Amino acid sequence: MKLIIQIPCYNEEETLELAYNDLPRHIDGIDTIEYLIINDGSKDKTVQKARDLGFHHIVSFRRNKGLARGFMAGMDACLRLGADIIVNTDADNQYCGADIEKLVRPILERKADMVIGERPIDETEHFSWKKKKFQHLGSWVVRVASRTDVPDAPSGFRAYSRETAMRMNVVNEYTYTLETIIQAGQSKMAVASVPIRTNPETRPSRLFSSMWRYMKRSASVIIRSTAMYRPLQFFCTIGLILFVLGLAVGIRFLVYFFMGTGGGHVQSLILASVLLMIGFQTITLGLLGDTIAANRKLLEDVQYHVRKMDYDGNPETQTPDDAAQEEQEK
């Protein structure tokens, strides 16, 4: 059983050693533990620091491509290197490395396909009151959208089984955390959460410059992912709301019409017609989207089998640096 711990990095020269020293060297049930960094176009000496520390593998981009792209490049490299379990953690040592054993245990016991570390958000001192409330709100929205029971959706401290990793796709270019949960819920994967510990803050988060910006980007990811993975429910819900509003306005006009005062309410008739038409068109979009989603599922199955032949049939035929080079040339 091989575990690879991947760490996305962007200018992490100062904190990488803390994260590396905190990583586990042995876990019961794991034969081999290896460490991999994804250098997302760092301008400092992150790569040299990783080599000096003894990281086994380095995936490197020439320019910054964002957390989502880096995450998927790391997953690809880990699969090519024969990982049975992949753990993702942060280079700023936010998460306690000893808790990686908690993450992988449900996968080793075949109780989960994906495991997400649940941070003690309310007890985390460097989280502001506003950030704590928004974290809870965002996680609730993701739970509704994904039909899972994940209390800490933005947590990047995660473990994936090999089979689950081969089915992962991230379309947005912002973050993988929310979309992968929605995808896992739609695909009926077994998603589990385990309580974890966090370390004191070493630097401010680089994922967002302000809370409102983070909320806007996250809301965009949730809406886009929900529309992609559950189009029928998404568009039909919107369409039915518009249709019912149009119907209500239309009934109101008819009431006035039969009372003999309909001439002064022509605007209501126009509004009702527009709402009914848009509602019907939105429902039609949902039906078309559902057909497209069915085709996407077929393509995902094909992609899974291609990946399985690629990764399992020809293990380690391509190094992480080769994979990064191909990514850069796209």
Side-chain angles (χ1 to χ4, degrees):
M1 183 67 67
K2 184 175 185 178
L3 165 66
I4 297 183
I5 302 170
Q6 70 170 32
I7 305 179
C9 295
Y10 179 64
N11 295 335
E12 303 290 359
E13 178 187 359
E14 300 298 326
T15 60
L16 187 58
E17 186 171 1
L18 287 174
Y20 177 80
N21 291 334
D22 204 31
L23 297 176
R25 269 53 181 179
H26 172 76
I27 295 176
D28 291 340
I30 301 293
D31 302 311
T32 305
I33 301 178
E34 296 180 357
Y35 315 117
L36 176 147
I37 71 160
I38 304 103
N39 169 42
D40 193 13
S42 297
K43 295 177 175 61
D44 63 0
K45 297 180 180 179
T46 295
V47 173
Q48 186 59 50
K49 188 71 173 180
R51 291 195 178 106
D52 294 341
L53 289 170
F55 275 85
H56 300 86
H57 312 287
I58 298 173
V59 176
S60 195
F61 295 151
R62 291 195 181 94
R63 58 173 295 182
N64 181 264
K65 296 192 176 184
L67 183 59
R69 296 283 292 275
F71 170 79
M72 288 305 297
M75 296 283 273
D76 176 77
C78 290
L79 289 168
R80 292 186 184 281
L81 291 163
D84 298 296
I85 301 176
I86 302 170
V87 166
N88 188 89
T89 187
D90 285 357
D92 62 356
N93 200 38
Q94 175 186 173
Y95 308 108
C96 182
D99 288 339
I100 289 178
E101 183 171 2
K102 292 183 181 179
L103 287 181
V104 303
R105 189 58 54 192
I107 296 178
L108 288 173
E109 295 174 353
R110 299 185 181 277
K111 294 180 180 179
D113 302 312
M114 177 195 304
V115 184
I116 300 173
E118 178 190 353
R119 295 167 294 178
I121 294 175
D122 292 327
E123 287 76 39
T124 303
E125 295 181 358
H126 61 269
F127 281 5
S128 65
W129 178 87
K130 182 170 64 174
K131 184 174 182 178
K132 292 176 182 178
K133 295 304 178 184
F134 284 150
Q135 291 275 22
H136 288 307
L137 175 62
S139 295
W140 175 80
V141 172
V142 173
R143 286 198 297 273
V144 172
S146 63
R147 295 179 181 175
T148 61
D149 188 20
V150 178
D152 187 8
S155 172
F157 197 41
R158 303 179 174 207
Y160 299 85
S161 69
R162 183 174 181 82
E163 291 293 308
T164 301
M166 282 195 281
R167 293 186 179 276
M168 285 291 103
N169 288 300
V170 178
V171 177
N172 81 90
E173 297 185 357
Y174 181 53
T175 179
Y176 62 91
T177 56
L178 309 179
E179 184 177 342
T180 50
I181 294 176
I182 295 173
Q183 181 188 359
Q186 178 64 22
S187 301
K188 307 298 182 185
M189 297 178 186
V191 182
S193 292
V194 295
I196 59 164
R197 296 162 292 174
T198 56
N199 296 315
E201 186 179 32
T202 57
R203 60 162 174 76
S205 173
R206 293 172 180 161
L207 188 59
F208 56 93
S209 56
S210 68
M211 180 58 63
W212 290 111
R213 179 178 174 82
Y214 174 72
M215 287 183 62
K216 183 174 69 173
R217 296 290 296 272
S218 297
S220 173
V221 171
I222 294 171
I223 292 172
R224 183 179 180 184
S225 299
T226 305
M228 182 170 65
Y229 291 106
R230 297 169 60 188
L232 184 62
Q233 180 179 358
F234 180 82
F235 288 105
C236 283
T237 299
I238 297 175
L240 283 173
I241 292 174
L242 294 172
F243 197 86
V244 169
L245 287 174
L247 197 61
V249 174
I251 292 173
R252 176 178 178 274
F253 171 79
L254 290 175
V255 169
Y256 281 113
F257 178 79
F258 286 114
M259 291 175 61
T261 57
H265 297 277
V266 177
Q267 298 90 338
S268 296
L269 179 61
I270 296 173
L271 178 60
S273 300
V274 171
L275 289 173
L276 289 170
M277 182 174 62
I278 295 176
F280 179 77
Q281 289 177 339
T282 306
I283 293 172
T284 303
L285 283 177
L287 296 172
L288 292 173
D290 190 57
T291 303
I292 295 171
N295 290 327
R296 193 200 70 251
K297 290 178 182 177
L298 295 176
L299 291 173
E300 286 180 347
D301 286 338
V302 172
Q303 181 190 53
Y304 165 75
H305 289 293
V306 170
R307 283 177 171 175
K308 193 170 182 65
M309 287 188 294
D310 186 19
Y311 297 138
D312 295 346
N314 300 288
E316 299 188 39
T317 56
Q318 188 179 41
T319 67
D321 288 325
D322 291 335
Q325 182 66 30
E326 283 191 2
E327 181 69 22
Q328 292 167 4
E329 291 172 354
K330 289 181 181 179

